[in-house]
Amino acid sequence: MENLPPHAEMCPAVPTRSDPRGSALTVRGVERVLGGNPVLRGINLDVPAGTVLALLGPSGCGKTTLLRCIAGLDRPDAGLIVEDNFTLSGPDCFVSPEKRRIGMVFQEPALFPNRTVGGNVGYGLPRAERKGPRVERALALVGLTGTADRLPSTLSGGQQQRVALARALAVEPSLMLLDEPFSALDAPLRAELRGEVRRLLAAAGATAVFVTHDQEEAFLIGDQVALMLEGRIAQVGTPADLYERPSSRAVAKFVGDANFLPATAVGDMAETPVGRVPLARTAHGDVEVVVRPECIAACQGDDAVVERIEYYGHDAVIVASSRGCPVRCRVMGHPGWGAGDRISLEYVGEPSVAFERAEPLTTV
Amino acid sequence: MSTTALAVVLAVPFALPFIYLIVRNAGDLSGLWAALTDGDTIAPAFRSLLLGTSVAITAGIIGTGAAWMVARTDLWGRRSWALLLCLPLVMPSFVGAVALIAAFSPGGLLSQLLGNAVPLPSVSGFWGAYGVLTLLTYPYVFLPVMARLRTMPPATEESARLLGRRPFAVFLTVVVPQARAAIAAGALLVFLYVISDFGAVQLLRYDTLTRMIYANRLLDPSVSVALSLVLGVMAVVVVAFERRASRVGLRETQRLRTPLTVPLGRLKALAITLLGLLVALSLIVPIGVLLFWAIRGAVQGNDRSNSVINDPSLILGPLGSTAGVSIATAIVAVLVVLPIAYRTVRRPGRLGEAIAGTVVGGFALPGLVTALAFVFWTLNAPGPVGALYQTLPLLILAYLVHHGALALGATQTAVAAIPPRLEDAARSLGSNRTRRFASVEWPLMWPGIAAGAGLVLLSTMKELPATLLLSPPGFSTLATRVWSAAEVALYEDAAVYALVLLALSAILTWFLVVRPALRSWDRVASVQDETQPEPVHVPAEPVAG
């Protein structure tokens, strides 16, 4: 419950702003129990106005539940959800979803099948504006000019999802929530829409929370990324923070490919099977150092033995054994070595992070 | 004989009444024309349409509203309401009408309560029929709309709420349009029920087509036959629309997730009062009135030796006849329908559709019309056909034609549930046709077939007009006993027979309709438990601290 915005007032809490730009979202100590299982265990989050937060996590970690709590589709058992100075949800205060002015896009387009595209987009607008320039503008924004009179069922899946986006944006919400909106689409379309949504959210200046289980998507869309694991926020930061300076072993493991190399640390330097690795935070004694595969360079040498090559096309991973420890090393193109070749490995990246050893070192 | 030939032959009886009506009218076109243009017949047709439309609209509104309250709000005991609101299906329309008349009759429950000084309004005519039929038919809308609400994607309703619309506006603009097909299908079934109804309009003296057909059957058979054709065509058209509507409804289903629950807040008491009133008027009050008459009749006694009050063993005859003829019909229906189900499921196509459509056409034709067609046909026919008049085989044939479609649906589902690969597997293991049926198909199918047979049993038990017209002399069922006692205003006797019939039909309904429905409800609930464990409560108003 610490760090409440200084002038957060309690009920009544109907947001009435003339400024169409986004507002800041604050989540404090939110908890939710569903069917006896704690799904959210004390969530704290700050999303500054006009920024996009990507909420990343494996399925079942509670990210959708958190999003539904912010939208008002679910009610937290404890904690506060505050938008700018308005409490949306608190111990004795709950603003119903229709009064929150929050836009939401779901996994499925969830269009009203009985209404035309224009009727869908205009649904949230004041009566007088339901047919008119605001609808056309919203449709133009998502590149669907001229489809207002068609029925949703005549559009493709990607187009339907664009209509859903237009419908949510048309009401100029103070906060946009996107719940894995591209997960039902195929890969090329997903990449295209991802860029488009990034551009649209930036243009609208909206504050947004984007839920995804895809790390790549989270990194591309989020100004900040919050990684959620088992009902808790494991780490919040820029994509680079999460990738280069993970706060825990679990974060390092979920975000990208990582070697956890046994090492002996002395201050800001650690001795590892791939040589000396600089540390961002000082450590001492037996530790595990997170080393990303692309931060290791391989060259002709005699330190390690290639066990196998995983060839992906534009890059490849050399799985080698160095001083009895398996090491993954990523190189561009085909490495030109094969199993059994002897090579040398060298750390070439930025200062990394070290954690206490999770389990005793097993010698091969 | 091939399955196709067998199925076609078995489907023929279902078309007989309609063919007879067409042939008979075609032979007497001037009579048909005279009947159709006569004001005396146009008026009843108009009354049938008026009653059917009014009841269908009212039942549509009540059924949809009740379904929404049970499926989407935070009402207490939603499961119990879902059950209670289906129960009026148990009550045949003539029993409802008897209860209404008995309640308002001199010396009835109301005059006893209010004292004889207060003049009671007449319940005969449009308003009585409208009230009774609406209260008994709204479940035909309630059930399909409940089913539709359960499969509706919750995200559309959530989107609508987030876009700023209040729960009731969401109901009108998002829920109702998506449930349109289910509501239409249900309302059309209600319309069919009402225009086909004989018992309630006859007892309440509202001159619809069925009442005119019945009244003219002896005096002026050509009018009767002409009106039967009119009613038959109306019914078949309605069923065609109903089938189209329910097919549309099936197409739009999606995966299951717990939908948003609308908190009723201060309106909760009002909602419970309304639903309670509905259940009370359609179920508790009629049964209460019948119990009142039966108990008072038993306490006071009477001097009629043929009264069931004086000699309870008199119930055994009609009870035995009802059970015997219903069970016989159920068995015959399953035997006839099974080959048809096989043919239509295994080799779908035009012919299959035509065969199934013929069986459904038999169901569409009002029971009174079916029975009259058989009466006229056998009365005028020489030889063996004529000998069938007022015999049990003909009665069972009429029941079969009218109720066979109920067994067909269930049996088709049962046949469709057997994977054809299973048959291939049995065949590749060297099993012959008979052994395959006995060892593989029958064990898988019989629960579905039993359900179909049960539905036929249930409807046959409550059938009134066909039994009245086609029974052998001296043969009476519980339904005809209720009828004849009510016609001579012996309400205490009518009440006893009606209560026995209701008890019997309630037991069967429980095993055949309610329990399977509750099971599927629980299955849905357990699926939801895995994905999203709890219904979500979202207040419509900010909760002030």
Side-chain angles (χ1 to χ4, degrees), chain B residues 402-413:
Chain B
H402 191 46
H403 301 306
L406 297 171
L408 181 63
T411 311
Q412 279 179 322
T413 312

Side-chain angles (χ1 to χ4, degrees), chain A:
Chain A
M1 289 291 162
E2 79 284 18
N3 293 336
L4 266 184
H7 35 263
E9 50 177 55
M10 299 304 278
C11 305
V14 183
T16 46
R17 272 175 310 273
S18 49
D19 181 7
R21 299 187 71 84
S23 47
L25 174 72
T26 310
V27 176
R28 283 289 172 274
V30 163
E31 291 176 15
R32 180 79 176 114
V33 178
L34 290 175
N37 306 314
V39 177
L40 302 178
R41 312 176 187 210
I43 301 284
N44 294 307
L45 266 184
D46 287 283
V47 189
T51 66
V52 178
L53 176 84
L55 191 56
L56 174 66
S59 54
C61 73
K63 54 193 193 302
T64 293
T65 305
L66 176 58
L67 205 67
R68 291 174 66 82
C69 283
I70 297 171
L73 298 174
D74 198 350
R75 186 169 183 176
D77 296 313
L80 283 176
I81 297 173
V82 180
E83 189 189 348
D84 275 355
N85 304 328
F86 305 104
T87 305
L88 295 178
S89 174
D92 40 24
C93 159
F94 184 84
V95 180
S96 58
E98 65 266 25
K99 293 192 176 145
R100 292 195 178 195
R101 251 190 77 194
I102 287 178
M104 186 155 174
V105 180
F106 295 84
Q107 265 181 36
E108 65 271 27
L111 300 178
F112 311 125
N114 52 305
R115 288 169 186 270
T116 59
V117 168
N120 266 279
V121 174
Y123 187 84
L125 297 176
R127 194 173 293 275
E129 296 182 83
R130 281 181 200 160
K131 287 177 186 149
R134 273 183 86 174
V135 172
E136 271 310 318
R137 230 174 17 239
L139 280 173
L141 218 54
V142 297
L144 285 174
T145 314
T147 56
D149 295 329
R150 290 173 65 178
L151 278 173
S153 54
T154 64
L155 301 179
S156 69
Q159 287 173 319
Q160 289 187 19
Q161 200 55 286
R162 282 169 204 253
V163 175
L165 195 60
R167 181 176 68 179
L169 285 172
V171 297
E172 294 173 359
S174 52
L175 184 61
M176 274 290 284
L177 306 176
L178 301 104
D179 186 6
E180 308 207 22
F182 312 137
S183 62
L185 307 176
D186 50 28
L189 194 58
R190 197 151 71 205
E192 183 192 327
L193 273 175
R194 199 186 277 159
E196 213 166 306
V197 165
R198 185 82 191 83
R199 177 179 60 76
L200 281 174
L201 291 177
T207 312
V209 179
F210 188 104
V211 162
T212 178
H213 64 266
D214 179 347
Q215 177 225 322
E216 201 174 292
E217 197 163 87
F219 278 23
L220 286 174
I221 282 203
D223 297 313
Q224 299 262 311
V225 177
L227 177 65
M228 206 170 158
L229 295 171
E230 291 173 346
R232 293 194 180 90
I233 300 290
Q235 187 174 0
V236 189
T238 62
D241 283 340
L242 260 73
Y243 192 74
E244 289 167 12
R245 290 171 293 282
S247 65
S248 69
R249 198 174 196 274
V251 174
K253 207 168 172 179
F254 188 81
V255 178
D257 201 357
N259 292 296
F260 295 95
L261 300 179
T264 313
V266 181
D268 59 357
M269 197 59 80
E271 191 64 42
T272 75
V274 296
R276 310 186 96 194
V277 173
L279 295 179
R281 296 186 287 264
T282 56
H284 290 278
D286 286 345
V287 292
E288 262 181 345
V289 177
V290 178
V291 176
R292 299 292 179 188
E294 68 276 15
C295 293
I296 301 174
C299 55
Q300 218 72 46
D302 205 26
D303 301 344
V305 183
V306 176
E307 290 187 342
R308 63 172 191 277
I309 304 289
E310 290 169 6
Y311 181 61
Y312 294 101
H314 85 292
D315 65 338
V317 169
I318 303 167
V319 183
S321 172
S322 175
R323 298 180 217 172
C325 174
V327 177
R328 292 169 67 81
C329 161
R330 191 178 291 272
V331 296
M332 298 306 287
H334 199 283
W337 289 294
D341 289 346
R342 300 194 70 85
I343 54 171
S344 228
L345 300 173
E346 189 191 352
Y347 185 77
V348 293
E350 296 291 303
S352 186
V353 292
F355 303 116
E356 277 182 35
R357 251 180 229 173
E359 58 245 39
L361 181 62
T362 48
T363 41
V364 181

